[in-house]
Amino acid sequence: IYGVRAGIPYKLQGTKQYWEDESYLYILDDSILAKTPKEPLYRALESLQSAPYVVVGEKVLAFEVPPVEENDRMLVPMRFLFEQMGAEVAWDNETQTATISQKEENISFQINNIAATVNNEVKTMEVPARLVNDKTMIPLRFLSENLGYTVDWDGNTKIATISE
């Protein structure tokens, strides 16, 4: 249902009403009115639309911090991804080292270090893990494949599919 409030069109959805002017987006829910600047909100939504997606099995993952790309490699939030895959994740804040264990596989790595230990063997990642908004972001392909998964990338849709 659409209407007009103070000369501005709005959308009525249930008990919620939405409208905007040149600078702000307004949301009225019962008696609570929220007002937010449009530009940062629309900019954030646009950046989410262009962010890559990760699919594990049939499930599209929704990350709290969206994946980022660095040197043509996708970095994703470590804990959420690997817990969805059934792995155990440990974090040592003092050394900024993460350890991922699944089945017989163990991988350890440090933030900003391209060396990773995979089952007691040192291997080199193309990009190191990073901290982004207090989340450990890891190179998706390197760590997934070293846990025995296959990663397929579709550059047109920006979708990475992880399968066993």
Side-chain angles (χ1 to χ4, degrees):
I1 299 171
Y2 291 90
V4 175
R5 175 183 295 278
I8 301 169
Y10 71 89
K11 181 177 181 184
L12 178 62
Q13 185 173 348
T15 61
K16 295 183 177 125
Q17 297 177 29
Y18 306 84
W19 71 94
E20 57 186 88
D21 60 23
E22 290 182 19
S23 302
Y24 293 94
L25 173 67
Y26 302 88
I27 302 170
L28 179 62
D29 187 3
D30 291 325
S31 61
I32 300 170
L33 176 64
K35 171 182 163 182
T36 186
K38 287 186 341 185
E39 186 61 34
L41 177 63
Y42 287 162
R43 199 171 38 248
L45 289 172
E46 193 171 300
S47 72
L48 287 175
Q49 283 183 322
S50 63
Y53 289 89
V54 177
V55 177
V56 176
E58 298 293 316
K59 184 190 261 185
V60 177
L61 301 185
F63 296 104
E64 190 175 313
V65 174
V68 296
E69 291 182 60
E70 181 178 325
N71 296 333
D72 292 329
R73 294 290 173 245
M74 186 189 310
L75 299 169
V76 297
M78 170 196 67
R79 182 174 297 278
F80 181 73
L81 171 68
F82 288 113
E83 286 178 350
Q84 294 297 311
M85 296 163 68
E88 291 182 29
V89 178
W91 173 253
D92 182 334
N93 197 46
E94 188 174 311
T95 62
Q96 293 197 316
T97 302
T99 303
I100 301 168
S101 302
Q102 188 176 38
K103 300 174 188 165
E104 303 296 317
E105 308 298 325
N106 291 297
I107 302 172
S108 294
F109 58 90
Q110 240 180 344
I111 299 297
N112 297 324
N113 187 339
I114 59 171
T117 304
V118 178
N119 298 324
N120 298 318
E121 179 185 339
V122 176
K123 294 189 177 185
T124 303
M125 298 185 285
E126 292 179 352
V127 296
R130 304 274 189 214
L131 284 178
V132 176
N133 296 329
D134 293 326
K135 298 290 182 192
T136 302
M137 305 291 280
I138 51 92
L140 175 71
R141 182 176 297 277
F142 177 87
L143 291 167
S144 297
E145 288 179 349
N146 277 285
L147 284 174
Y149 292 90
T150 299
V151 179
D152 292 312
W153 172 249
D154 183 334
N156 293 328
T157 60
K158 288 191 166 190
I159 296 176
T161 304
I162 301 172
S163 56
E164 288 190 67

